[in-house]
Amino acid sequence: EAQVTQNPRYLITVTGKKLTVTCSQNMNHEYMSWYRQDPGLGLRQIYYSMNVEVTDKGDVPEGYKVSRKEKRNFPLILESPSPNQTSLYFCASLHRYDQGLAGYNEQFFGPGTRLTVL
Amino acid sequence: RKEVEQDPGPFNVPEGATVAFNCTYSNSASQSFFWYRQDCRKEPKLLMSVYSSGNEDGRFTAQLNRASQYISLLIRDSKLSDSATYLCVVPRGVWNTDKLIFGTGTRLQVFP
């Protein structure tokens, strides 16, 4: 089954304790992304990766790190979590259909990780 | 103008009703647009894409108005299972479909 998996699904931690949220996809997609979702703010992109060893900042990268050592995995690292990073996090991989110049694509999202930083 | 703006709702409609949501966007160069559906605190899933004047899939119709820079989603014969939040998604660039901007969503509640 084609899917994006994330772990853990739920995490409560304390300020300053480093954590990693794993993300894995089995669709051989080149492009992967991390989002956070907060009430009233919608989904905001944290980091994205266009291929192995290629990563770039999204709109809200502060306080996060990522790596892309292999195509299927794209972990999100919080070196020193703070309460303002309490959020719902989604990993996504993107399939490009590339119909002419329209650039049609579809993002497949993981089930989400609900993070609480105390 | 915000990059992507949606009426948050909620839209409360009875089963069988027709309902329409609008989404306005600021990037006049965008070529492709998307509607995603998100059930309560679950992951978003692609509902429809639009890259010409419109697209239709069963009870769902997405239309694009480039002059006024908005896209709409029309749902006919609403079902209870249509209750969800509908997210409008617009690329930030021209052909740059990598940076996708998500609206905050419009919540739909269909009642019996």
Side-chain angles (χ1 to χ4, degrees):
Chain A
E1 181 191 355
Q3 60 182 349
V4 178
T5 57
Q6 292 178 230
N7 281 294
R9 295 288 313 281
Y10 303 91
L11 179 61
I12 300 174
T13 189
V14 295
T15 299
K17 186 176 181 182
K18 180 179 178 180
L19 66 93
T20 298
V21 185
T22 65
C23 173
S24 183
Q25 51 98 1
N26 62 1
M27 295 169 279
N28 202 37
H29 291 161
E30 292 178 345
Y31 182 88
M32 297 184 73
S33 188
W34 274 103
Y35 294 88
R36 61 178 289 174
Q37 187 173 33
D38 303 288
L41 296 176
L43 277 154
R44 293 178 293 167
Q45 191 178 53
I46 303 170
Y47 268 95
Y48 66 97
S49 169
M50 296 180 71
N51 213 325
V52 175
E53 302 291 2
V54 180
T55 63
D56 207 347
K57 297 177 180 178
D59 293 318
V60 288
E62 295 78 21
Y64 305 95
K65 285 175 57 177
V66 293
S67 69
R68 188 88 182 275
K69 292 182 169 47
E70 47 191 342
K71 187 180 274 191
R72 64 182 294 124
N73 296 324
F74 189 43
L76 179 70
I77 303 155
L78 285 73
E79 294 270 2
S80 183
S82 61
N84 64 12
Q85 292 178 298
T86 293
S87 187
L88 178 60
Y89 291 86
F90 289 105
C91 178
S93 70
L94 185 144
H95 178 69
R96 303 172 191 273
Y97 293 92
D98 283 333
Q99 293 183 0
L101 295 176
Y104 171 49
N105 62 63
E106 178 175 359
Q107 290 210 76
F108 293 86
F109 286 84
T113 295
R114 186 172 294 280
L115 172 66
T116 301
V117 183
L118 302 174
Chain B
R1 173 185 264 186
K2 284 186 179 178
E3 288 187 284
V4 180
E5 196 154 11
Q6 296 183 250
D7 182 340
F11 284 62
N12 296 306
V13 302
E15 272 187 292
T18 295
V19 62
F21 314 133
N22 275 350
C23 167
T24 58
Y25 61 92
S26 63
N27 180 17
S28 60
S30 294
Q31 299 294 315
S32 311
F33 306 86
F34 309 91
W35 284 102
Y36 277 72
R37 171 194 168 127
Q38 185 175 26
D39 293 301
C40 188
R41 304 312 265 173
K42 293 198 172 180
E43 72 271 26
K45 293 183 179 177
L46 181 66
L47 178 67
M48 296 186 75
S49 60
V50 189
Y51 38 82
S52 56
S53 60
N55 191 12
E56 184 172 328
D57 183 4
R59 297 183 294 108
F60 298 84
T61 300
Q63 291 193 314
L64 169 62
N65 184 317
R66 290 189 190 276
S68 301
Q69 291 182 215
Y70 75 83
I71 57 175
S72 62
L73 178 67
L74 180 78
I75 305 175
R76 289 180 297 276
D77 188 22
S78 298
K79 313 289 186 192
L80 294 175
S81 57
D82 293 334
S83 297
T85 297
Y86 292 84
L87 307 175
C88 172
V89 184
V90 180
R92 180 168 278 161
V94 179
W95 313 124
N96 183 1
T97 54
D98 303 323
K99 284 193 178 289
L100 298 175
I101 308 303
F102 283 76
T104 53
T106 297
R107 193 164 137 238
L108 171 65
Q109 185 68 47
V110 182
F111 58 87

